[in-house]
Amino acid sequence: MRKIKIFDTTLRDGEQSPGVSLTMEEKLAIAEQLSLLKVDVIEAGFPISSSSDFESVKNIAQKIRDVEIAALARANYKDIDCAWEALQEAEQPRIHVFIATSPIHMKYKLQMNEEQVMERAVEAVKYAAKYTNNIEFSAEDASRSELDFLYKLFEKVIEAGASVINVPDTVGYAIPQEFGEFIKKIKENTRNIEKIELSVHCHNDLGMATANTLIALKEGADQAEVAVNGIGERAGNAALEEVLMALVTRKDYFEDLVVTQDTTKILKLSNMVSQFTGMVIQPNKAIVGKNAFAHESGIHQDGVIKERTTYEIMKAESIGLNSNKLILGKHSGRHALKEFLTSSGYTVDEETFEKLFIKFKDLASKKKNLNPLDVEALINDELYKTEDYFKLKYLSVTTGNTTLPTATIKIARGEDLIEKAACSGDGPIDAIFKAINEIAEEENITLISYKIEGVTEGTDALGETTVKLKIGEDVYVGHSVETDITQASTLAYLNALNKYMTKKLQTAKK
């Protein structure tokens, strides 16, 4: 039996998705959930890329235990020094060094030949080895690289001290059968390959990232590099949930491969990543989409009623769906909510619990039937919100088919100052956002996207609102859940602004 390592790159490659910008608190929350899911490696970021990424990697390295923490570095001393400085307090640190190896990348991007790339790669691995013996080397764009060059390169970096060799399909160019053969040849023709772990990192440009990852594992790869919900650069990465559930569900085919993750944590993690990134999961998304375990066809429904396995190859409970049977409502007390929090994997102090309990009772008084998803959305909204520089004090909206939509709003700004604004707009939400902008007095605020979705069914469902603002050159994602969609929209917009203000004030202190 061969253990397959799950290397999650949601916080590094996943955050490179267009329009995604996670706060340090959000990254730590995702890392904590990845730890509960028991992934083997968390790639926490690219420290040299920004001071915020450096601090985020450092924070995760200090606080997450029992998981290898990796940081990305280009094949140069400065990047490697920075990666180690961020990682050094990790229980199991890993430096992840990369350099491009395909003819097109070497010629146009690096402007280096094969000998120069090999020399740079070997020097970088040797340099990283002075810090740790846990070194991963990636040959960027490996799937479009010459195999003979890769055999020699991998042999040299293994001699230099690499403990993991990663073969990325960087632009999602590979076809499964071709990629499987590619991995097989690397295994057969690279000297000392048996001394290291062989990894793959597949992108989804042609929609085959998961398939390419699985065939690579079948042909001898030891590690799968994945991202939650398949997010990442361009069309994204192989999805953690798809690779993991394929290995678990089809263990008859992958009979010699073993994974040790807790799959019941998948859905909660998936929803958290979707909420923090503002990237809505498509309903028909494999494993975690809302329709993944839904049946509309009468024939299918009849079959599932008679025998679940006629149309369901996995149990919904295996990914954490409907796993919490505790019924919560307006008569539920503190003990019931505490039990829900504990069974769902949340740890909160008493002060935070009391805030949650007040919000929970308020929601229960408005909504007759509470779904666990309602409560989880409420909890995530409270636990992971940023510090409030702008606080909503009053909101009044008038609208109608013969009325000019108008919003009047009062916002506490900073410690004491309360400001008021009234604006009209094309609709009530437009009026609200204009009023907030008038108070915020920040230039160059652009609304990139605004989404609202019911957490569950029914007219009394919580409205989950996501707002993306571009302020200057950066993007900020705001989120809120409320039964009143105008209030949810207001709080989501303020949440995005508060993330901006937090970063602005932190920068001013430095």
Side-chain angles (χ1 to χ4, degrees):
M1 304 298 284
R2 190 157 54 88
K3 183 184 183 302
I4 299 301
K5 277 191 171 183
I6 300 297
F7 174 114
D8 184 87
T9 185
T10 304
L11 300 177
R12 201 276 301 169
D13 198 323
E15 204 201 9
Q16 290 177 208
S17 303
V20 171
S21 179
L22 298 169
T23 66
M24 187 187 300
E25 293 76 17
E26 288 168 341
K27 287 184 178 181
L28 180 60
I30 291 170
E32 287 171 344
Q33 288 303 310
L34 287 167
S35 177
L36 288 173
L37 193 143
K38 299 178 183 176
V39 300
D40 299 285
V41 187
I42 297 172
E43 188 168 43
F46 189 9
I48 197 71
S49 65
S50 68
S51 59
S52 60
D53 221 39
F54 175 88
E55 292 299 333
S56 182
V57 174
K58 186 175 181 179
N59 188 40
I60 290 169
Q62 290 171 336
K63 294 178 180 177
I64 302 297
R65 294 301 189 237
D66 303 320
V67 181
E68 292 181 49
I69 306 298
L72 190 67
R74 289 166 298 191
N76 65 64
Y77 295 170
K78 186 177 180 182
D79 276 34
I80 294 167
D81 286 338
C82 186
W84 180 250
E85 188 179 349
L87 280 175
Q88 59 187 325
E89 293 183 58
E91 191 173 75
Q92 302 174 66
R94 177 187 292 193
I95 297 176
H96 183 185
V97 177
F98 78 97
I99 193 169
T101 57
S102 67
I104 193 168
H105 274 245
M106 289 190 291
K107 181 178 179 180
Y108 294 106
K109 187 177 78 170
L110 299 180
Q111 298 182 341
M112 296 167 68
N113 60 35
E114 288 186 354
E115 289 73 21
Q116 290 171 319
V117 167
M118 189 176 297
E119 183 180 350
R120 177 76 64 83
V122 170
E123 282 181 5
V125 171
K126 283 182 177 178
Y127 188 77
K130 78 175 190 175
Y131 292 123
T132 177
N133 59 6
N134 189 355
I135 302 163
E136 177 170 341
F137 173 77
S138 282
E140 186 186 8
D141 204 24
S143 61
R144 294 194 295 173
S145 301
E146 298 293 335
L147 273 168
D148 287 340
F149 175 53
L150 290 181
Y151 302 153
K152 296 173 190 173
L153 175 64
F154 291 162
E155 179 186 341
K156 293 295 183 183
V157 294
I158 291 169
E159 286 178 7
S163 56
V164 182
I165 298 292
N166 183 42
V167 183
D169 181 26
T170 303
V171 292
Y173 185 73
I175 303 297
Q177 187 173 358
E178 173 191 51
F179 195 60
E181 190 65 24
F182 195 79
I183 296 300
K184 186 178 180 181
K185 287 178 179 177
I186 289 172
K187 291 279 288 185
E188 292 172 346
N189 295 285
T190 303
R191 190 176 299 171
N192 294 324
I193 196 77
E194 72 282 353
K195 294 182 179 180
I196 55 91
E197 293 172 356
L198 187 61
S199 174
V200 290
H201 181 138
C202 298
H203 278 260
N204 205 39
D205 297 68
L206 293 176
M208 289 181 277
T210 295
N212 284 330
T213 300
L214 291 171
I215 198 166
L217 297 175
K218 184 74 173 175
E219 291 294 346
D222 308 294
Q223 175 178 279
E225 303 201 358
V226 294
V228 178
N229 299 338
I231 67 172
E233 192 80 61
R234 303 181 315 280
N237 293 279
L240 176 149
E241 63 278 4
E242 293 175 14
V243 171
L244 197 51
M245 291 310 296
L247 292 171
V248 170
T249 305
R250 291 304 311 275
K251 55 179 177 277
D252 59 320
Y253 180 75
F254 300 103
E255 55 187 357
D256 62 329
L257 308 184
V258 177
V259 287
T260 57
Q261 282 64 46
D262 181 357
T263 63
T264 64
K265 301 293 190 288
I266 285 175
L267 189 62
K268 180 180 175 182
L269 174 61
S270 170
N271 288 337
M272 176 183 283
V273 169
S274 175
Q275 175 182 325
F276 290 170
T277 61
M279 298 179 73
V280 177
I281 302 166
Q282 65 196 61
N284 63 325
K285 168 74 174 68
I287 316 299
V288 294
K290 285 187 176 181
N291 294 350
F293 293 93
H295 302 277
E296 181 74 19
S297 164
I299 295 173
H300 287 212
Q301 290 174 345
D302 179 61
V304 170
I305 290 168
K306 290 175 178 174
E307 170 53 47
R308 181 191 60 80
T309 56
T310 53
Y311 288 102
E312 286 189 3
I313 60 172
M314 300 169 282
K315 290 183 179 179
E317 292 81 5
S318 68
I319 66 161
L321 184 63
N322 299 327
S323 59
N324 197 317
K325 302 296 183 183
L326 191 64
I327 298 172
L328 295 172
K330 65 179 182 179
H331 299 299
S332 300
R334 285 177 171 77
H335 180 75
L337 183 59
K338 281 184 178 178
E339 181 64 27
F340 182 91
L341 287 166
T342 302
S343 62
S344 299
Y346 294 100
T347 303
V348 299
D349 56 35
E350 278 301 315
E351 183 181 352
T352 304
F353 175 79
E354 287 302 319
K355 291 179 182 177
L356 279 173
F357 186 70
I358 291 169
K359 291 194 75 171
F360 162 71
K361 293 298 279 187
D362 181 56
L363 174 62
S365 68
K366 298 174 183 176
K367 196 173 190 299
K368 184 178 180 181
N369 298 311
L370 280 183
N371 185 296
L373 292 175
D374 290 317
V375 184
E376 284 214 358
L378 189 76
I379 293 168
N380 288 339
D381 190 51
E382 177 63 32
L383 289 186
Y384 305 119
K385 67 181 181 181
T386 193
E387 186 177 348
D388 290 338
Y389 179 82
F390 295 107
K391 295 180 183 178
L392 178 66
K393 292 297 184 182
Y394 171 84
L395 173 67
S396 176
V397 178
T398 58
T399 189
N401 64 333
T402 59
T403 304
L404 180 66
T406 305
T408 303
I409 192 166
K410 287 183 182 178
I411 292 174
R413 180 179 182 139
E415 294 294 325
D416 305 309
L417 186 62
I418 295 180
E419 297 192 39
K420 179 180 177 181
C423 290
S424 58
D426 293 332
I429 305 303
D430 182 45
I432 290 169
F433 291 172
K434 284 180 176 177
I436 295 173
N437 286 346
E438 190 172 299
I439 292 173
E441 296 179 332
E442 291 290 340
E443 296 181 0
N444 300 321
I445 298 178
T446 303
L447 178 64
I448 296 176
S449 70
Y450 166 76
K451 298 171 186 172
I452 189 159
E453 186 177 12
V455 173
T456 52
E457 298 176 351
T459 57
D460 60 351
L462 278 173
E464 186 170 19
T465 308
T466 303
V467 168
K468 285 187 181 181
L469 300 180
K470 185 173 183 181
I471 307 176
E473 295 301 316
D474 297 320
V475 174
Y476 300 89
V477 179
H479 182 269
S480 184
V481 288
E482 297 286 342
T483 51
D484 182 336
I485 62 171
T486 57
Q487 186 172 343
S489 301
T490 305
L491 294 174
Y493 199 94
L494 289 175
N495 183 229
L497 275 179
N498 282 326
K499 288 179 181 179
Y500 161 73
M501 288 303 301
T502 297
K503 184 175 180 179
K504 183 179 179 180
L505 293 172
Q506 287 174 346
T507 304
K509 289 178 183 178
K510 292 179 181 179

